Amino acid sequence: MKIRGTCTRCGRDFLVQQVLESQGHCPWCGKPFQPSYTAVLAEALQQAEAAGSSLENALEKLAGMGPALTLDEDSVLGQARAHLERLRQAEKRTP
Ligand SMILES: [Zn+2]
């Protein structure tokens, strides 16, 4: 999974891999996304991408089996959606 984000300062899009290379800074404007937590932020982005890939692979495997079941989307993605929404709210607060 390639997670894409947007810098709320310069408005440009980036990939997680670029933020890992720049150690928690925007690859375009060079500013830290969270000055107090650059390393933790980069690590969390890396974790999100890896976990997203794992989730995708598991769901692909399940779907490929044609099983006699469905999964409740909210139970799979509910909290993730809520956290993404929180990030969007934070974007609005950035001057
Ligand atoms: Zn930027």
Side-chain angles (χ1 to χ4, degrees):
M1 175 184 276
K2 297 260 181 262
I3 293 180
R4 186 172 44 80
T6 306
C7 175
T8 57
R9 291 203 183 88
C10 69
R12 295 188 70 178
D13 291 347
F14 59 82
L15 294 172
V16 161
Q17 188 56 42
Q18 293 174 297
V19 180
L20 298 180
E21 285 161 11
S22 61
Q23 291 161 350
H25 297 66
C26 174
W28 307 112
C29 67
K31 292 190 178 136
F33 288 117
Q34 199 346 312
S36 310
Y37 302 103
T38 50
V40 179
L41 177 136
E43 189 188 343
L45 283 172
Q46 191 172 29
Q47 283 174 346
E49 200 165 80
S53 294
S54 289
L55 179 61
E56 276 185 350
N57 289 343
L59 293 176
E60 185 183 8
K61 196 184 287 182
L62 283 165
M65 293 177 203
L69 60 79
T70 64
L71 296 178
D72 180 80
E73 262 188 57
D74 281 344
S75 73
V76 177
L77 301 172
Q79 286 303 308
R81 282 204 186 105
H83 297 314
L84 289 169
E85 181 57 32
R86 263 180 74 198
L87 281 170
R88 267 195 296 276
Q89 295 301 318
E91 175 189 4
K92 289 172 193 158
R93 288 195 297 271
T94 305

